[in-house]
Amino acid sequence: MGSQVLWQLAKRGYDVTGYELFAPGHSRGAAGGETRLFRTIQMEDHGYAPIADRADELYRALEADSGQQLRDITGALVMGHPSSPDTQTALEAAERSAHPVRVLDREESMREFPEFALDPGDVTIWDGHGGIIRPELTVATAAAQAQRHGVTILRRHRVTAIEDTGSGVHVTADGQTRQFDRVVAAPGAWTSLLFPELAGLFEMRRLLSAWFFPAVPGQLERVLPFLRTKPAQTEKNTYAYGLPYADRTAMKLGLGSDQEARVDSPDTADYYVTDTLLEPFAEWIGRYMPVLDPYPMRIATYFESFTASGREYVQAHPQMENVIVMAGFSGHGFKMAPAFGEIGADLAEGRTPALDIGFLQRDEVPLTAA
Ligand SMILES: Cc1cc2nc3c(=O)[nH]c(=O)nc-3n(C[C@H](O)[C@H](O)[C@H](O)COP(=O)(O)OP(=O)(O)OC[C@H]3O[C@@H](n4cnc5c(N)ncnc54)[C@H](O)[C@@H]3O)c2cc1C
């Protein structure tokens, strides 16, 4: 999010400085693992549809500016049972969509997309404009384009304090304090460390990604990226998403919240993945993607900030009006990052964002009593 805000503000001609704990495109936060799902079908809220559409345009603009290919529009699948509220929202989104979309019943889906087994009554939505994003390259490219427009990026600089004095915002990093007119802070899973006063709004979680070979080589040649929706609350959580390697020799999977452990800080969290944590992957594969070998060939750990509602926290800090906080992207922010960059830039300019984000604040409740 930070690199996208930098790119936007740079294009608007501002004198901008970016701070990054590591370096743009690193893999220790929420944006690692080589692939992210881009979809035009949103199951979380219809309010996201225009944001994803705008992100689609901005991905293309960033590709045109940089000459880098950041996405591969392959088509994507959204699968699930219609008894799930998320599947219902996805089906409504398909009905409203201006993009190429098809809804398939279980039998049609298993014929056309034989890599995926479905439960009785399940439906599949083919999202023709869905695809695969390259996250690290996207972050690095947005940052590089921002630098090309004159932005300074201070790598390996940890911001330790942000203070709005009323006549300027003081940012302290590595013992040095600089003054700015406005600050946009997008610290991901580090948000509660930088803003302890907001800790009750966010939960920092460790998310696992695991990569699997097919049981028989070649079985993934036509596989599409997919998302399986969260089922109705009474059911066992079978939420999952998957993204193939570009050469289709393996598939990355991520599972639902049972696999997402709360952490106090990404700085000290455990990266080690026990075999016990891998069991749900094997179980999920046996039920929904038996073409995969159930033991992963690669495992990795990433960190993301979540809100209770799953909706982003994108607004001025409650006690510092010149500090815009962008956090709580809750596992689904990457596809929309360029549009959130534009929203962050609008807010930094003191303007109401051109894109409607009013729905994000609905049902906002603290996660803890902090
Ligand atoms: C495993 C996984 C899979 C996902 N899959 C998808 C998907 O398929 N599709 C999708 O749309 N979304 C997906 N998401 C969500 C998406 O990747 C995140 O919502 C998005 O990357 C969040 O961006 P962010 O800028 O908030 O956090 P980050 O990308 O983590 O960026 C925060 C940055 O702030 C820096 N920072 C933190 N504190 C400081 C400090 N004090 N000083 C200086 N720098 C600091 C960090 O180093 C980091 O670079 C996934 C997330 C995960 C973890």
Side-chain angles (χ1 to χ4, degrees):
M1 301 300 160
S3 68
Q4 296 289 346
V5 173
L6 291 178
W7 179 50
Q8 289 296 331
L9 285 173
K11 287 197 296 177
R12 296 179 194 189
Y14 290 102
D15 179 10
V16 190
T17 300
Y19 291 83
E20 168 50 56
L21 185 50
F22 304 109
H26 70 83
S27 66
R28 298 180 192 219
E34 291 163 24
T35 49
R36 287 288 177 277
L37 182 60
F38 181 83
R39 53 187 159 85
T40 69
I41 298 294
Q42 313 306 329
M43 69 280 312
E44 298 91 347
D45 194 298
H46 294 311
Y48 287 116
I51 301 180
D53 283 349
R54 180 62 184 146
D56 184 32
E57 292 171 1
L58 290 168
Y59 270 113
R60 271 180 274 149
L62 185 54
E63 287 180 325
D65 275 12
S66 64
Q68 297 279 4
Q69 189 189 340
L70 304 176
R71 292 183 309 169
D72 194 5
I73 300 298
T74 53
L77 305 176
V78 174
M79 298 177 270
H81 197 274
S83 62
S84 131
D86 285 9
T87 312
Q88 276 306 325
T89 310
L91 286 166
E92 285 163 24
E95 225 168 283
R96 297 162 167 225
S97 178
H99 297 286
V101 166
R102 277 192 301 138
V103 179
L104 292 84
D105 67 23
R106 178 178 187 245
E107 285 64 37
E108 288 168 330
S109 177
M110 286 174 60
R111 231 182 358 258
E112 206 165 319
F113 306 108
E115 301 86 358
F116 301 100
L118 297 179
D119 290 332
D122 277 357
V123 293
T124 292
I125 302 167
W126 173 76
D127 178 353
H129 197 62
I132 303 168
I133 314 166
R134 298 180 186 178
E136 299 91 338
L137 186 64
T138 299
V139 174
T141 299
Q145 287 305 107
Q147 283 176 303
R148 205 169 64 84
H149 288 281
V151 164
T152 303
I153 297 184
L154 301 173
R155 294 166 159 231
R156 305 195 64 188
H157 274 63
R158 181 186 286 264
V159 174
T160 47
I162 299 178
E163 191 198 352
D164 189 350
T165 64
S167 58
V169 184
H170 290 179
V171 174
T172 305
D174 297 324
Q176 239 205 326
T177 302
R178 293 189 171 98
Q179 182 170 320
F180 299 92
D181 298 323
R182 293 257 163 79
V183 165
V184 178
W190 288 261
T191 303
S192 302
L193 301 178
L194 191 55
F195 300 113
E197 66 283 8
L198 302 182
L201 292 173
F202 302 105
E203 194 166 279
M204 312 309 173
R205 293 190 198 156
R206 185 185 76 159
L207 271 63
L208 305 183
S209 293
W211 286 256
F212 300 86
F213 284 129
V216 177
Q219 274 182 317
L220 296 176
E221 264 166 20
R222 293 178 53 245
V223 78
L224 292 182
F226 77 92
L227 183 147
R228 197 177 163 84
T229 59
K230 203 160 42 156
Q233 243 173 5
T234 48
E235 309 268 322
K236 181 181 160 60
N237 192 0
T238 50
Y239 169 91
Y241 58 87
L243 292 135
Y245 271 178
D247 64 5
R248 301 296 188 274
T249 52
M251 184 97 186
K252 177 175 85 172
L253 294 183
L255 300 184
S257 54
D258 307 347
Q259 286 296 288
E260 296 164 1
R262 192 181 178 285
V263 297
D264 292 329
S265 159
D267 296 334
T268 50
D270 197 359
Y271 276 73
Y272 187 73
V273 180
T274 59
D275 263 7
T276 311
L277 285 171
L278 297 179
E279 282 164 17
F281 283 97
E283 199 185 314
W284 190 93
I285 286 170
R287 182 165 168 186
Y288 293 112
M289 241 189 132
V291 293
L292 297 180
D293 181 320
Y295 201 87
M297 56 90 162
R298 177 182 166 195
I299 312 158
T301 299
Y302 304 102
F303 300 97
E304 167 78 310
S305 63
F306 284 75
T307 61
S309 66
R311 297 200 185 94
E312 292 71 7
Y313 184 94
V314 178
Q315 59 190 77
H317 185 287
Q319 285 106 43
M320 298 191 276
E321 60 174 330
N322 293 308
V323 178
I324 311 301
V325 180
M326 302 180 72
F329 287 88
S330 303
H332 57 228
F334 208 93
K335 70 185 80 58
M336 297 173 286
F340 274 112
E342 200 169 60
I343 290 165
D346 288 347
L347 291 169
E349 282 186 321
R351 291 197 288 124
T352 304
L355 287 158
D356 180 14
I357 53 165
F359 72 100
L360 296 181
Q361 274 148 40
R362 224 187 312 133
D363 318 325
E364 201 179 278
V365 288
L367 268 157
T368 65

